[in-house]
mmCIF file of all heavy atoms in Angstrom:
data_model
loop_
_atom_site.group_PDB
_atom_site.id
_atom_site.type_symbol
_atom_site.label_atom_id
_atom_site.label_comp_id
_atom_site.label_asym_id
_atom_site.label_seq_id
_atom_site.Cartn_x
_atom_site.Cartn_y
_atom_site.Cartn_z
ATOM 1 N N TYR A 486 0.535 -12.587 22.152
ATOM 2 C CA TYR A 486 1.566 -12.092 21.248
ATOM 3 C C TYR A 486 2.508 -13.187 20.759
ATOM 4 O O TYR A 486 2.796 -13.305 19.565
ATOM 5 C CB TYR A 486 2.415 -11.054 21.978
ATOM 6 C CG TYR A 486 2.077 -9.620 21.663
ATOM 7 C CD1 TYR A 486 1.732 -8.740 22.686
ATOM 8 C CD2 TYR A 486 2.159 -9.135 20.368
ATOM 9 C CE1 TYR A 486 1.452 -7.409 22.418
ATOM 10 C CE2 TYR A 486 1.888 -7.811 20.089
ATOM 11 C CZ TYR A 486 1.534 -6.943 21.121
ATOM 12 O OH TYR A 486 1.261 -5.641 20.843
ATOM 13 N N TRP A 594 6.285 0.521 30.972
ATOM 14 C CA TRP A 594 5.352 -0.547 30.632
ATOM 15 C C TRP A 594 6.134 -1.855 30.456
ATOM 16 O O TRP A 594 6.360 -2.320 29.345
ATOM 17 C CB TRP A 594 4.564 -0.211 29.370
ATOM 18 C CG TRP A 594 3.645 0.962 29.547
ATOM 19 C CD1 TRP A 594 3.971 2.273 29.371
ATOM 20 C CD2 TRP A 594 2.284 0.927 29.975
ATOM 21 N NE1 TRP A 594 2.881 3.069 29.651
ATOM 22 C CE2 TRP A 594 1.828 2.270 30.013
ATOM 23 C CE3 TRP A 594 1.381 -0.090 30.297
ATOM 24 C CZ2 TRP A 594 0.527 2.611 30.395
ATOM 25 C CZ3 TRP A 594 0.086 0.252 30.662
ATOM 26 C CH2 TRP A 594 -0.328 1.576 30.713
ATOM 27 N N PRO A 690 6.476 -13.511 36.382
ATOM 28 C CA PRO A 690 7.705 -13.315 37.170
ATOM 29 C C PRO A 690 8.913 -12.853 36.378
ATOM 30 O O PRO A 690 9.842 -12.294 36.952
ATOM 31 C CB PRO A 690 7.945 -14.702 37.780
ATOM 32 C CG PRO A 690 7.239 -15.649 36.871
ATOM 33 C CD PRO A 690 6.040 -14.920 36.383
ATOM 34 N N ASN A 720 -12.676 -18.208 63.973
ATOM 35 C CA ASN A 720 -14.088 -18.325 63.606
ATOM 36 C C ASN A 720 -14.757 -16.966 63.405
ATOM 37 O O ASN A 720 -15.944 -16.796 63.684
ATOM 38 C CB ASN A 720 -14.870 -19.139 64.648
ATOM 39 C CG ASN A 720 -16.106 -19.783 64.049
ATOM 40 O OD1 ASN A 720 -16.149 -20.075 62.858
ATOM 41 N ND2 ASN A 720 -17.125 -19.979 64.876
ATOM 42 N N SER A 724 -16.539 -18.421 60.098
ATOM 43 C CA SER A 724 -15.773 -18.873 58.941
ATOM 44 C C SER A 724 -15.604 -20.379 58.885
ATOM 45 O O SER A 724 -15.484 -20.958 57.790
ATOM 46 C CB SER A 724 -14.388 -18.218 58.949
ATOM 47 O OG SER A 724 -14.493 -16.824 58.867
ATOM 48 N N TRP A 1077 21.083 -12.190 31.333
ATOM 49 C CA TRP A 1077 19.743 -11.671 31.629
ATOM 50 C C TRP A 1077 19.310 -10.625 30.603
ATOM 51 O O TRP A 1077 18.178 -10.651 30.113
ATOM 52 C CB TRP A 1077 19.736 -11.055 33.035
ATOM 53 C CG TRP A 1077 18.408 -10.488 33.428
ATOM 54 C CD1 TRP A 1077 17.378 -11.133 34.044
ATOM 55 C CD2 TRP A 1077 17.959 -9.139 33.233
ATOM 56 N NE1 TRP A 1077 16.318 -10.277 34.238
ATOM 57 C CE2 TRP A 1077 16.650 -9.050 33.751
ATOM 58 C CE3 TRP A 1077 18.535 -8.002 32.671
ATOM 59 C CZ2 TRP A 1077 15.910 -7.876 33.721
ATOM 60 C CZ3 TRP A 1077 17.796 -6.826 32.634
ATOM 61 C CH2 TRP A 1077 16.504 -6.764 33.153
#
Side-chain angles (χ1 to χ4, degrees):
Y486 259 123
W594 294 87
N720 205 28
S724 299
W1077 180 89

